[in-house]
Amino acid sequence: MDPRCTMGLAILIFVTVLLISDAVSVETQAYFNGTAYLPCPFTKAQNISLSELVVFWQDQQKLVLYEHYLGTEKLDSVNAKYLGRTSFDRNNWTLRLHNVQIKDMGSYDCFIQKKPPTGSIILQQTLTELSVIANFSEPEIKLAQNVTGNSGINLTCTSRQGHPKPKKMYFLITNSTNEYGDNMQISQDNVTELFSISNSLSLSFPDGVWHMTVVCVLETESMKISSKPLNFTQEFPSPQTYWKEITASVTVALLLVMLLIIVCHKKPNQPSRPSNTASKLERDSNADRETINLKELEPQIASAKPNAE
């Protein structure tokens, strides 16, 4: 085998052993629009000067975020999406990534290389897994309509601009551990990739209940966020209205009772008898007829009298 091939193979094996033995994996978290810290702790820093090293970070797509080349920042190889967004902390061997977005989530590798006169040797590799969070706004309950009389209560609850995706949102009502609200909707912004969530609820006052307190709760992977409590009071009827309603109800009830009594006690239909007035009229009519008959007979009576003498 060619001695040069043998030497190259030996270097490759040496570098692979170093990568396996000195590879470090860490997890870090940053807030949306905040700063992420991508560490690259170098345990041999006390023995080697930074001017002898090449230090650079790249993302999971192999795009370079930052490069420190033999003591000097080198921007030629930095990808455009990271230009102006990074700063290197030499004391802590940490790269600061500013104005973090949801799309920055993922894996980042830091490589520390020594640059001898010929070639380069990887001394250390650090893998950082970056996650990004954004706090949801405090859930806000809104009343869709005023509560009057026995009308139902229609509520909506919303929370915006958060990450990661929320688990659930629900309503809690006074003296109940049940979770209410079955119309949860989640949307994601196409640009920021942040989530918004809403839920709605329709309920009525239970019998005998005049006061209720409602709270909206949003649950994420790491926390619960509650809205300000919203109090509802059902209006009592005024004394005048109350007594008017009672009087009207009693009156209607009495009329129904009276009608029922009349219907129940009504006798079957019988042939009607002529009244006294009708009988009197009939008698007067008969008397008139008798009088008329006597007058008609008077001439006959008069003519008969002499013959009798």
Side-chain angles (χ1 to χ4, degrees), residues 261-288:
I261 292 173
I262 293 172
V263 172
C264 293
H265 289 76
K266 185 177 181 181
K267 294 182 178 180
N269 293 333
Q270 296 180 355
S272 60
R273 296 179 179 179
S275 63
N276 294 333
T277 303
S279 300
K280 183 179 180 182
L281 288 174
E282 185 177 354
R283 289 195 299 270
D284 292 344
S285 176
N286 294 333
D288 290 341

Side-chain angles (χ1 to χ4, degrees), residues 115-241:
K115 197 75 171 174
T118 57
S120 60
I121 301 173
I122 297 177
L123 301 178
Q124 182 174 302
Q125 176 188 2
T126 302
L127 172 65
T128 301
E129 191 70 31
L130 173 63
S131 59
V132 181
I133 59 174
N135 289 333
F136 282 89
S137 63
E138 180 181 286
E140 182 181 7
I141 303 178
K142 289 187 178 180
L143 184 63
Q145 64 182 26
N146 294 329
V147 182
T148 56
N150 295 323
S151 66
I153 303 173
N154 296 319
L155 304 175
T156 60
C157 181
T158 56
S159 181
R160 299 179 177 85
Q161 304 297 298
H163 196 277
K165 186 176 182 178
K167 294 173 59 179
K168 59 181 178 177
M169 172 183 276
Y170 53 88
F171 295 88
L172 293 177
I173 302 176
T174 311
N175 300 327
S176 175
T177 58
N178 295 331
E179 299 175 0
Y180 297 90
D182 54 0
N183 191 27
M184 187 175 70
Q185 297 181 353
I186 300 176
S187 60
Q188 187 175 23
D189 189 281
N190 293 330
V191 177
T192 64
E193 299 184 17
L194 297 176
F195 293 98
S196 294
I197 182 171
S198 66
N199 204 347
S200 59
L201 174 67
S202 295
L203 71 159
S204 300
F205 280 91
D207 293 339
V209 175
W210 298 94
H211 303 281
M212 283 196 301
T213 300
V214 180
V215 175
C216 178
V217 180
L218 171 65
E219 286 191 15
T220 66
E221 293 180 354
S222 58
M223 66 181 69
K224 288 184 180 180
I225 311 171
S226 299
S227 69
K228 294 182 176 63
L230 193 60
N231 299 311
F232 297 98
T233 301
Q234 188 171 213
E235 295 180 357
F236 288 92
S238 63
Q240 294 83 357
T241 303

Side-chain angles (χ1 to χ4, degrees), residues 1 4-14:
M1 182 180 290
R4 290 175 296 180
C5 293
T6 304
M7 179 65 68
L9 181 60
I11 293 175
L12 179 60
I13 294 173
F14 174 72

